[in-house]
Amino acid sequence: MMGAVVAAGFAAGCTRTDSASDEPTLEKLQSDGKVTVGFAGEAPYSFEENGELTGATVALHREIFGELDVPEVEGVNADFGALIPGLQAGRFDVVSAGMSILPERCEQALFSEPEFNYTTALMVPTGNPANLSDMQSIQESGVRMAAMTGAIESDYARELGIDTLEVSTPQDGMDAVVNGRADVFALTGISLNWMKQNNPDVPVDVTPSFVAEIDGVPQVGAGGTVFRQGDEELRDAYNEKLREITSDPERYLEIVGPFGFTEAELPDPNLTTAQLCEGVPS
């Protein structure tokens, strides 16, 4: 069920409102008692399990929106590359996918402050026959790489001139490696390790995580919640509650730890969304 979706539209000033009621978005969500989030089925960030929406970003959203007097979180599943277009089209109120904060995305939508730090890993056939370890090793070996459409690993590949097999979901990426359509699938380390742990009989390995480098520059990886342009008030209210969580490692881990997240994923307090939107190097 799609749940409450706020109609697209802008009122005077910077706060998006519902065109029918002229309520600010946050007030409408509070009135409805629920927020609808777009997600792409990437475990352990946001996914469905036994018909229930779950994951680390979903847990954060239940905590934060609950404190904002929006007790229900409902989900709409979409391909990763369709999440921002779906947000803009009003299919959902926010994006719950731990999406990497990148300059080109900041031109299309608003991002919360960072919720997670990222590293990349590689899913390879058992034994890692091509001895892959990072993006450069893929580039040099000429193996076939799979990447999720719209994911940052696809951007890394493009920057390095690596042709990729575009897949819609993490499951499609793993299947591509298993059936030989790809030799490697690149995605965040936390996602690939979760997949391996939950599919122990699948003949794949996951390499140690690494920080990708492009032209010798380590790529800062951090993700957050995505809001529609014009929803600054909603984003700011969200950030205020998020800051209380990320400044308290024990509370942060109580929320996201059950999904495999550790203090290594706790966002750097000195790294801001404003910097990431400007393309700041590490």
Side-chain angles (χ1 to χ4, degrees):
M1 180 177 175
M2 190 168 169
V5 177
V6 180
F10 294 84
C14 66
T15 301
R16 197 177 70 86
T17 65
D18 178 75
S19 58
S21 66
D22 287 335
E23 284 183 294
T25 302
L26 178 55
E27 289 182 17
K28 185 174 190 306
L29 298 182
Q30 290 168 335
S31 177
D32 290 342
K34 57 189 173 183
V35 59
T36 302
V37 304
F39 70 102
E42 181 181 353
Y45 297 100
S46 50
F47 60 105
E48 285 184 325
E49 188 172 60
N50 300 321
E52 296 293 325
L53 183 63
T54 188
T57 59
V58 174
L60 271 176
H61 286 159
R62 289 194 170 119
E63 183 81 8
I64 292 173
F65 281 106
E67 290 194 359
L68 293 174
D69 297 322
V70 184
E72 252 186 89
V73 177
E74 296 185 348
V76 173
N77 200 350
D79 289 347
F80 191 88
L83 286 172
I84 288 181
L87 177 69
Q88 294 169 328
R91 290 190 63 210
F92 24 83
D93 303 308
V94 301
V95 170
S96 176
M99 186 177 285
S100 293
I101 304 166
L102 302 173
E104 58 270 26
R105 291 175 180 164
C106 294
E107 294 176 1
Q108 304 171 55
L110 304 175
F111 280 81
S112 71
E113 288 301 319
E115 296 170 337
F116 307 103
N117 279 343
Y118 285 139
T119 52
T120 297
L122 308 176
M123 179 172 279
V124 295
T126 301
N128 193 5
N131 196 29
L132 303 174
S133 58
D134 56 18
M135 297 301 298
Q136 279 69 28
S137 67
I138 297 174
Q139 181 187 42
E140 293 164 4
S141 67
V143 296
R144 295 164 297 175
M145 172 183 156
M148 202 160 68
T149 302
I152 194 168
E153 292 76 21
S154 180
D155 296 335
Y156 295 158
R158 185 172 60 253
E159 291 284 342
L160 293 169
I162 301 170
D163 289 331
T164 61
L165 169 67
E166 297 282 322
V167 298
S168 297
T169 69
Q171 182 65 51
D172 292 339
M174 183 168 71
D175 290 345
V177 173
V178 171
N179 64 30
R181 295 176 62 223
D183 302 300
V184 56
F185 175 40
L187 196 64
T188 59
I190 196 89
S191 294
L192 293 184
N193 284 315
W194 177 276
M195 291 181 69
K196 174 60 179 174
Q197 290 163 10
N198 285 274
N199 296 275
D201 297 328
V202 175
V204 293
D205 288 334
V206 177
T207 68
S209 296
F210 59 91
V211 175
E213 290 194 8
I214 305 295
D215 296 329
V217 179
Q219 301 300 296
V220 175
T225 294
V226 193
F227 301 84
R228 201 176 288 106
Q229 288 179 342
D231 270 346
E232 286 85 354
E233 182 182 51
L234 177 61
R235 178 205 56 191
D236 293 348
Y238 183 93
N239 276 339
E240 183 177 346
K241 298 299 183 182
L242 174 64
R243 194 174 301 111
E244 295 174 4
I245 294 171
T246 55
S247 63
D248 182 348
E250 184 175 346
R251 186 180 176 200
Y252 179 80
L253 292 178
E254 282 178 0
I255 297 169
V256 303
F259 301 96
F261 289 76
T262 69
E263 283 201 46
E265 281 75 48
L266 187 67
D268 180 350
N270 296 314
L271 183 63
T272 67
T273 291
Q275 291 172 316
L276 291 164
C277 285
E278 292 172 2
V280 65
S282 66

